[in-house]
Amino acid sequence: MAEIKAFKGMRFDTSKAGEIDKLCCPPYDIISEEERLAFIAENEHNIIRLELPKGENPYSDAASILKDWEEKGILTREDAPAIYVYEEEFTAYGKSGAVKGIIVRLKVEEFEKGIVLPHEFTLSKAKEDRLNLMKATNCNFSQIYGLYMDEEHTSLKTIDKVSEGPPDMEFTDKGSVTHRLWIVKDEEVIAKLVSDFKERKIYIADGHHRYETALNYRNYCRENGISKEGDAQDFQMIYLVDMEHPGLVVFPTHRLVRDLPEFDSDEVLCKCSKYFDIEAFTATDNMETELEAEDKAGKKAFGFYVGDGEWYKLTLKDISVMDELLPELSAVSRTLDVTVLHTLVLEKIFGIDKANMAAQINLTYTKFFEEAISFVDEGKAQCSFVLNPTKVKEIRDVASKGEKMPQKSTYFYPKMITGLVMNKLED
């Protein structure tokens, strides 16, 4: 099944590069141009220059910078193969928590083999960008986020044991998330963890673009004589976490509808009444708790926000309607909150088809409840739909069926930091 291995990670030499908190950055796809420039201004060696290069020749520039930093000792390779224990401590929903797993190399396999399983559809534009960067640099600067099943939590017990002492690296970012990294080179521990995964499947939590890009890059390298089977290009850097880890948090991703030629909230509600019970509210301060209560009661419900505090709770009357509309899907896929919303409302009532959604013509996304409200109030969106978060169990079950959720169905929090360790694709 899953093949993982230790690797000689590439890391910043902070004696030359500067303090680690000034060298790392969030994932490339959630960073604005203003933030990108601010990271570089704070430290010219910030990983953002490699992970999110800009300019006329961004990819070749990234390759030149990487070579320069390696030659100057800004970036150095580990002296022996290691597995990296990575922990994030954070606050979510008003409670403190922490999630801990391991950063390793994972052998990439086609999805149809059933060893590595996706759960979301992806966008081709993002994959093209990441492939061009890998072709130029032959390096992973950030990780995929993967989950695994381990009923006895044997691997987590090992991980906790080897990370009892002080971390090798630690800092708290601007979002108040504390990042810790332990470098594990003990060969017995490495062998034990590698063995643990031989009978496991990996479920992609976040980083579908990176994984599909890794497959494309592996194929490109083989086709062009750059690598052969078993070489480093067959492996991708990944962060692996026990699927039942108590620190796992999934945020919902809310939907924003914009630029429809004709939009009438009363007409939308009239059409929704065929499928949903509708309850009106005049303030949004209770929206999330109202939706959470419906979820706990086993019901499918959304908040339909139209502006100035006015919103409507749409609660599905009869889940069996999804059996009629999507008989080709498994029960878990067709009854997901996002599937119900997309099928019955966005497609059937708004006429926003899957191609439109993929191109984000009339639909955009936000993980922030406040933005789902403010964008409508400010006229940036015509309306928004507030959702409950997707459950980790649902992610596992959909992936196990070989199916995928609509794009932007999940948002694992917190995001992994970029820059603590990198994977140069050579041995």
Side-chain angles (χ1 to χ4, degrees), residues 252 254 277 279 281 284-305 311-316 337 369 373 384-389 391:
H254 311 301
D277 290 321
E279 185 176 355
F281 296 84
T284 60
D285 54 351
N286 66 336
M287 189 189 300
E288 290 176 296
T289 54
E290 283 283 338
L291 296 179
E292 183 182 3
E294 296 292 349
D295 181 63
K296 288 181 177 178
K299 298 180 180 179
K300 306 295 176 181
F302 321 102
F304 173 45
Y305 185 68
W311 73 279
Y312 299 86
K313 182 170 68 174
L314 309 180
T315 306
L316 187 64
D337 285 16
F369 172 76
I373 304 304
S384 62
F385 289 91
V386 175
L387 289 80
N388 282 310
K391 299 174 181 65

Side-chain angles (χ1 to χ4, degrees), residues 17 20 102 117 170 313 378 398:
I20 190 64
I102 51 174
L117 302 171
E170 178 177 10
K313 182 170 68 174
E378 295 167 8
V398 168

Side-chain angles (χ1 to χ4, degrees), residues 26-188:
Y28 74 98
D29 53 354
I30 62 170
I31 295 175
S32 67
E33 178 61 10
E34 182 181 3
E35 290 170 328
R36 187 185 75 86
L37 294 173
F39 282 121
I40 295 172
E42 193 170 42
N43 188 314
E44 65 175 347
H45 299 125
N46 190 285
I47 192 67
I48 196 70
R49 294 185 66 193
L50 300 175
E51 175 73 346
L52 188 60
K54 297 287 185 178
E56 293 184 7
N57 303 293
Y59 308 115
S60 59
D61 287 348
S64 297
I65 292 169
L66 175 58
K67 181 180 179 182
D68 180 60
W69 288 0
E70 287 186 275
E71 289 176 349
K72 292 178 178 177
I74 300 297
L75 291 172
T76 61
R77 298 285 296 277
E78 214 72 66
D79 60 0
I83 282 177
Y84 301 84
V85 175
Y86 175 45
E87 180 182 55
E88 294 177 285
E89 185 177 342
F90 56 92
T91 299
Y93 297 114
K95 298 180 180 178
S96 59
V99 63
K100 184 187 289 185
I102 51 174
I103 297 173
V104 296
R105 276 183 178 176
L106 169 72
K107 186 176 183 182
V108 295
E109 305 277 8
E110 289 78 3
F111 291 139
E112 53 264 31
K113 290 186 177 180
I115 298 171
V116 180
L117 302 171
H119 79 269
E120 279 187 349
F121 287 100
T122 57
L123 302 174
S124 59
K125 184 177 180 181
K127 285 182 280 190
E128 181 183 354
D129 165 63
R130 294 296 94 183
L131 180 58
N132 288 334
L133 184 61
M134 287 187 74
K135 285 179 179 179
T137 62
N138 194 41
C139 191
N140 304 148
F141 301 115
S142 53
Q143 303 87 21
I144 296 167
Y145 193 158
L147 303 174
Y148 61 90
M149 291 295 294
D150 179 11
E151 292 183 2
E152 301 299 322
H153 312 296
T154 54
S155 293
L156 184 55
K157 291 171 184 175
T158 301
I159 292 165
D160 284 337
K161 181 68 176 176
V162 298
S163 59
E164 289 178 343
D168 294 285
M169 305 174 75
E170 178 177 10
F171 75 96
T172 301
D173 65 23
K174 293 179 175 63
S176 299
V177 177
T178 298
H179 306 270
R180 301 184 181 97
L181 192 76
W182 289 262
I183 303 167
V184 181
K185 299 179 184 177
D186 186 302
E187 293 182 0
E188 289 187 10

Side-chain angles (χ1 to χ4, degrees), residues 300-416:
K300 306 295 176 181
F302 321 102
F304 173 45
Y305 185 68
V306 297
D308 297 324
E310 182 182 348
W311 73 279
Y312 299 86
K313 182 170 68 174
L314 309 180
T315 306
L316 187 64
K317 294 177 180 179
D318 185 358
I319 195 65
S320 66
V321 68
M322 300 303 296
D323 300 337
E324 300 169 16
L325 294 172
L326 299 172
E328 72 279 7
L329 293 183
S330 67
V332 64
S333 284
R334 63 177 174 257
T335 58
L336 291 168
D337 285 16
V338 289
T339 305
V340 172
L341 175 64
H342 281 216
T343 304
L344 295 181
V345 182
L346 298 181
E347 294 184 39
K348 220 169 179 41
I349 295 175
F350 284 88
I352 302 175
D353 60 21
K354 289 179 174 60
N356 183 310
M357 293 180 193
Q360 298 190 33
I361 297 171
N362 298 115
L363 188 69
T364 52
Y365 310 88
T366 178
K367 67 179 182 296
F368 299 112
F369 172 76
E370 294 77 11
E371 284 189 356
I373 304 304
S374 65
F375 275 42
V376 179
D377 289 340
E378 295 167 8
K380 297 177 182 177
Q382 292 162 303
C383 67
S384 62
F385 289 91
V386 175
L387 289 80
N388 282 310
T390 302
K391 299 174 181 65
V392 174
K393 179 181 181 297
E394 291 174 325
I395 295 168
R396 180 199 67 199
D397 292 346
V398 168
S400 296
K401 295 291 184 180
E403 297 173 338
K404 296 180 182 179
M405 298 179 182
Q407 296 154 10
K408 306 292 184 181
S409 294
T410 59
Y411 187 98
F412 279 82
Y413 181 83
K415 292 286 189 178
M416 296 169 291

